[in-house]
Amino acid sequence: MTNKKTTQTFNQVPTDILDNKELSLLDKFIYGEVFTMSAQGKDFFMSNARLAERYGKSIPTIKRSMQHLKDMGLITVKIQRNEQKMVTKRMVSVGSPMNRG
C-alpha cells in the first residue's frame, strides 16, 4: 500500500461507452473522466500531461484519444487563449447524448 493521498472520487463510464467497439480502453477511461466531472456539474480541465501521467501513456497518445472522442462527437473542447495566443484554459465536456453510442 502506498502513502499517496487518496480521495473519495471515482470514474463513471456509461455502459453504452463501455460497449462501444470503436473506442479503446484509454478512450473509455478518458471519457469517464469527463463524464464524471460533468455529472457533478463541474468543468473538466485536466491537462494532457496529467492524463498521460495518470494512465501511463505519452502526451501524443492522450492527444490522439481526445481527438478520437471529439471526432466521434462524444466530447467537446473549448480553448481560451490570452493576447499572446497562449492557452490559458481548456474546458472539456460531454457531447450531445444523441451522439453517444
Side-chain angles (χ1 to χ4, degrees):
M1 188 170 197
T2 66
N3 289 334
K4 240 182 175 180
K5 182 180 176 184
T6 60
T7 61
Q8 297 299 319
T9 60
F10 51 91
N11 194 343
Q12 300 177 53
V13 182
T15 304
D16 60 328
I17 297 298
L18 286 174
D19 292 342
N20 190 322
K21 304 293 186 223
E22 295 179 56
L23 300 173
S24 69
L25 284 175
L26 180 61
D27 295 341
K28 294 172 185 184
F29 277 117
I30 291 174
Y31 181 86
E33 297 267 7
V34 176
F35 179 85
T36 301
M37 293 300 287
S38 294
Q40 295 175 11
K42 299 176 183 175
D43 289 330
F44 179 84
F45 48 86
M46 190 180 296
S47 70
N48 289 341
R50 176 67 185 104
L51 285 168
E53 179 183 314
R54 174 173 282 184
Y55 293 106
K57 302 293 182 183
S58 68
I59 292 173
T61 297
I62 297 297
K63 287 180 180 180
R64 280 191 298 275
S65 182
M66 294 288 285
Q67 187 62 51
H68 187 222
L69 292 168
K70 278 176 49 179
D71 291 346
M72 291 186 70
L74 295 172
I75 63 170
T76 59
V77 179
K78 293 181 183 170
I79 303 289
Q80 289 181 352
R81 297 179 187 272
N82 62 17
E83 296 82 27
Q84 292 80 31
K85 308 275 190 216
M86 294 175 59
V87 174
T88 57
K89 188 173 184 180
R90 173 180 80 167
M91 295 158 290
V92 184
S93 57
V94 294
S96 167
M98 291 187 299
N99 293 334
R100 287 203 353 230

